[in-house]
Amino acid sequence: MRRSIAPQRWLPLFCAALSALAPMRAEAQRRPAQRPDNRGYITISRDQTPDPVNDVARAEGATPNAPRPQGTTVPVVAIAPVEQQADAEPRAEGDAPAEGGTRTPRSRLIARESAETLVSDTSDEAGFLSVAPLQVAGARGRRYTGRRVDIDLRDADIHNVLRLLAEVGSVNIVASQDVEGSVTIRMRNVPWDQALDVILAARGLGMQRNGNIIRVAPQTVLDRERELLIERQRQLATLEPLETRLMPVSYALASELAPRAREMLSARGSVSVDERTNVMIVRDTAAVLNQIERLIRSLDTQTPQVLIEARIVEATSTFSRDIGIQWGGDINFGQGFGNPTGLAFPSSIGVAGGATDMMTMSQGLSPTTLNIPNPNFAVNLPATVGSGSGGALGFTFGSVNGNFNLNVRLTAAEVNNQLRIVSAPRILTLDNREALIAQGTLIPYSQVSAQGVQTAFQEAKLQLRVRPHVTADGSVSMHVRITRDEPDFNRTSTRGDPTILKKEAETDLLVPDGRTAVIGGIFTRTTGRSTNQVPGLGDIPILGALFSRRRSTDDRGEMIIFLTPRIVNRAEAIGR
């Protein structure tokens, strides 16, 4: 008799047990169990030693430990939901703030394909869809967000299992009449929605979710419904009337946007372009036309304009110092000068400096004569002095009748030059368009060939070439090439043609709007020291200065390039 009434009494008693366990579940939520990971632990039904036979006997009003008839199947169920951590679910990728407090740009949805067009080749594909009666392909890689539970099932009726999962997940589950059978499974600490996926896959079932209502049916039934729905949609698409819509394009070219629109057309649609008015003529169903129009409006926006300001600063410093000396004279011993030697040989002696020629500078040695014809310099190492550079000082010492003469000429020159050149080219261009600005001169030079001597021209100019791209967060990425060529007339060829000093920088960089970046710099320093001296005598300490000429140079050059991009129409182009 107990076996005949057990199926009728089991379901109401099971529902009553669930209702009685609800207060226990609420109390457990208020007082979470102490677990190592600080997560709450709620137990719906769990015994230290499961005794399914006595539990069922008590539920049916029978005596515990009574002998159980052979062939009787008793389910054992133990479900323990586990509360998730408060921060278990990370935020959406587009919502996470980037470094510096800026928000990462998010994509915009302009069209969505109907879910009925999804196709599945296997019955193992599981997941949730909002409309189509098909589980998403690759459900094993799906992300589950349900509360974690512990499940221990043995020969449990599938309908009762679905009711338990509906209670845990706070959803509504509707099972069709074709859903039947029992489930034996044991899981620990798994999301309830993942457990539902596994149970349905084990029984060859599928689900269709709409809001918080989940419909469960055999996968074959859902597949047939999907095929019928796809066929119905195809018939509606074939019978739906076509519309023709004019879509004006303001900032882009309609011919450039037409290929993007053709990708979204149905089999009955068409696109044409009127180049005179820059208008797209699209013919298709109303739903497709709405998607295409949203796409065109998203792409047809103002192109950002970028003002590129470059500043090239060049600083040059030149220092040189040149110290030289000229000295010499003559000494005469003889009867004609009144100081004979008194010897038969040599009776006359004359010593004079011989480091002179027609080019030797002797100004300043005589207050009455501009140049002394024969200064008789013994050491002739003058510095390069003259009008506008350096200085010289001459001394002349002599005896009576010219027996002893001494000429000394000190020369020194020092040059200190500082030069600063600032070049500031700027140019305005559209996003992703290359711009060029240049200024300079053409230097003629001669070329000798078989046709004779021809005149060619060499460019020496300042040039800025840039191709900017405005990113979604308002920064400017650009490829920049800056060239500065200038002629140097101090260094010329044998024909007098000047050499070209080239300075060039080429790089790719990313700069925030309105910020200034130093894209390059060159620093050079050239030092030199030269000594001209009389061998041996010039190395004598202190006295060696009377026999040497010393020159030193120190040339420094520095070039720094600054670059500042500015988005002119930022509010219209970036703030959309």
Side-chain angles (χ1 to χ4, degrees), residues 198-496:
V198 173
I199 292 172
L200 295 182
R203 299 300 303 171
L205 302 175
M207 59 181 158
Q208 172 187 357
R209 181 164 188 168
N210 189 1
N212 68 335
I213 300 177
I214 299 176
R215 176 193 168 209
V216 178
Q219 188 66 49
T220 55
V221 175
L222 298 179
D223 291 343
R224 286 196 301 270
E225 292 179 358
R226 180 176 59 86
E227 294 174 358
L228 293 176
L229 184 58
I230 293 175
E231 185 63 27
R232 188 180 306 111
Q233 293 292 337
R234 290 176 180 173
Q235 294 177 359
L236 291 177
T238 304
L239 299 177
E240 187 175 358
L242 299 179
E243 297 181 5
T244 302
R245 192 173 300 179
L246 301 179
M247 299 182 185
V249 180
S250 301
Y251 304 103
L253 295 179
S255 57
E256 295 178 353
L257 298 181
R260 308 284 81 79
R262 290 191 181 95
E263 296 174 356
M264 304 181 65
L265 290 175
S266 64
R268 303 166 61 195
S270 62
V271 175
S272 59
V273 175
D274 183 31
E275 297 183 356
R276 186 184 68 85
T277 57
N278 203 35
V279 172
M280 293 176 53
I281 305 173
V282 187
R283 180 178 175 84
D284 212 318
T285 60
V288 176
L289 290 178
N290 293 335
Q291 295 181 3
I292 294 177
E293 189 166 4
R294 284 194 295 269
L295 173 64
I296 298 303
R297 294 296 165 260
S298 299
L299 298 179
D300 184 29
T301 57
Q302 281 195 21
T303 303
Q305 298 186 78
V306 184
L307 176 64
I308 309 297
E309 299 179 3
R311 186 175 293 270
I312 306 173
V313 181
E314 298 178 70
T316 303
S317 174
T318 303
F319 174 80
S320 63
R321 177 179 294 169
D322 191 358
I323 299 177
I325 188 171
Q326 294 170 287
W327 65 271
D330 61 86
I331 301 175
N332 295 304
F333 296 93
Q335 189 67 32
F337 294 94
N339 55 350
T341 61
L343 300 176
F345 180 84
S347 61
S348 298
I349 299 175
V351 179
T356 58
D357 54 25
M358 298 302 295
M359 303 299 295
T360 298
M361 304 294 294
S362 60
Q363 294 92 334
L365 294 179
S366 173
T368 58
T369 305
L370 181 61
N371 284 300
I372 296 179
N374 191 15
N376 293 329
F377 286 135
V379 176
N380 189 15
L381 298 173
T384 304
V385 296
S387 178
S389 64
L393 185 63
F395 301 92
T396 301
F397 304 95
S399 64
V400 180
N401 296 327
N403 294 334
F404 178 80
N405 295 310
L406 177 62
N407 299 324
V408 179
R409 186 171 182 264
L410 302 177
T411 56
E414 182 174 306
V415 179
N416 190 355
N417 293 328
Q418 292 184 352
L419 178 64
R420 186 170 184 260
I421 302 175
V422 178
S423 304
R426 62 174 60 184
I427 192 169
L428 179 67
T429 182
L430 292 176
D431 184 26
N432 288 325
R433 300 299 177 91
E434 186 178 276
L436 172 66
I437 185 172
Q439 178 192 12
T441 59
L442 294 177
I443 301 175
Y445 64 95
S446 300
Q447 281 185 338
V448 180
S449 61
Q451 290 78 18
V453 179
Q454 298 180 349
T455 301
F457 294 90
Q458 173 65 39
E459 291 185 346
K461 60 183 179 181
L462 170 66
Q463 177 177 283
L464 170 63
R465 186 187 298 271
V466 60
R467 184 185 184 92
H469 169 64
V470 179
T471 62
D473 59 349
S475 300
V476 180
S477 172
M478 45 190 166
H479 177 81
V480 183
R481 181 178 182 182
I482 299 178
T483 304
R484 176 173 174 78
D485 301 339
E486 57 180 344
D488 185 5
F489 292 96
N490 295 325
R491 301 182 181 94
T492 59
S493 64
T494 55
R495 296 193 300 267

Side-chain angles (χ1 to χ4, degrees), residues 6-332:
Q8 290 80 5
R9 298 183 58 189
W10 169 253
L11 186 58
L13 289 175
F14 196 26
C15 296
L18 289 178
S19 301
L21 291 175
M24 298 173 59
R25 177 184 176 188
E27 181 66 21
Q29 290 179 347
R30 288 192 296 271
R31 296 182 304 170
Q34 298 298 324
R35 296 176 60 87
D37 55 358
N38 297 327
R39 294 184 298 179
Y41 195 79
I42 303 174
T43 302
I44 292 181
S45 176
R46 180 181 293 270
D47 295 328
Q48 294 294 337
T49 304
D51 191 357
V53 177
N54 293 333
D55 292 343
V56 175
R58 293 190 186 94
E60 296 176 353
T63 304
N65 298 324
R68 178 185 173 192
Q70 295 183 354
T72 303
T73 301
V74 180
V76 175
V77 180
I79 301 180
V82 180
E83 295 293 338
Q84 290 179 309
Q85 295 181 4
D87 57 349
E89 291 303 321
R91 291 174 294 184
E93 182 178 353
D95 296 336
E99 295 182 359
T102 59
R103 187 173 296 275
T104 306
R106 302 183 64 179
S107 60
R108 291 175 292 163
L109 179 64
I110 60 173
R112 178 180 301 220
E113 298 290 341
S114 58
E116 291 79 12
T117 59
L118 294 177
V119 179
S120 173
D121 296 332
T122 64
S123 60
D124 294 335
E125 298 169 340
F128 286 57
L129 284 181
S130 58
V131 179
L134 175 67
Q135 293 167 271
V136 177
R140 288 185 296 270
R142 192 169 69 86
R143 192 168 142 197
Y144 297 98
T145 60
R147 297 173 55 192
R148 294 183 175 273
V149 296
D150 292 347
I151 304 177
D152 189 0
L153 305 173
R154 188 182 70 186
D155 295 337
D157 185 69
I158 186 66
H159 291 275
N160 295 329
V161 175
L162 294 177
R163 294 184 61 190
L164 288 174
L165 293 178
E167 177 69 18
V168 173
S170 299
V171 295
N172 302 313
I173 297 180
V174 179
S176 65
Q177 296 180 354
D178 299 334
V179 177
E180 57 185 10
S182 59
V183 176
T184 299
I185 190 172
R186 180 181 177 86
M187 294 184 180
R188 294 183 62 84
N189 195 23
V190 295
W192 72 267
D193 47 356
Q194 184 179 9
L196 178 60
D197 266 349
V198 173
I199 292 172
L200 295 182
R203 299 300 303 171
L205 302 175
M207 59 181 158
Q208 172 187 357
R209 181 164 188 168
N210 189 1
N212 68 335
I213 300 177
I214 299 176
R215 176 193 168 209
V216 178
Q219 188 66 49
T220 55
V221 175
L222 298 179
D223 291 343
R224 286 196 301 270
E225 292 179 358
R226 180 176 59 86
E227 294 174 358
L228 293 176
L229 184 58
I230 293 175
E231 185 63 27
R232 188 180 306 111
Q233 293 292 337
R234 290 176 180 173
Q235 294 177 359
L236 291 177
T238 304
L239 299 177
E240 187 175 358
L242 299 179
E243 297 181 5
T244 302
R245 192 173 300 179
L246 301 179
M247 299 182 185
V249 180
S250 301
Y251 304 103
L253 295 179
S255 57
E256 295 178 353
L257 298 181
R260 308 284 81 79
R262 290 191 181 95
E263 296 174 356
M264 304 181 65
L265 290 175
S266 64
R268 303 166 61 195
S270 62
V271 175
S272 59
V273 175
D274 183 31
E275 297 183 356
R276 186 184 68 85
T277 57
N278 203 35
V279 172
M280 293 176 53
I281 305 173
V282 187
R283 180 178 175 84
D284 212 318
T285 60
V288 176
L289 290 178
N290 293 335
Q291 295 181 3
I292 294 177
E293 189 166 4
R294 284 194 295 269
L295 173 64
I296 298 303
R297 294 296 165 260
S298 299
L299 298 179
D300 184 29
T301 57
Q302 281 195 21
T303 303
Q305 298 186 78
V306 184
L307 176 64
I308 309 297
E309 299 179 3
R311 186 175 293 270
I312 306 173
V313 181
E314 298 178 70
T316 303
S317 174
T318 303
F319 174 80
S320 63
R321 177 179 294 169
D322 191 358
I323 299 177
I325 188 171
Q326 294 170 287
W327 65 271
D330 61 86
I331 301 175
N332 295 304

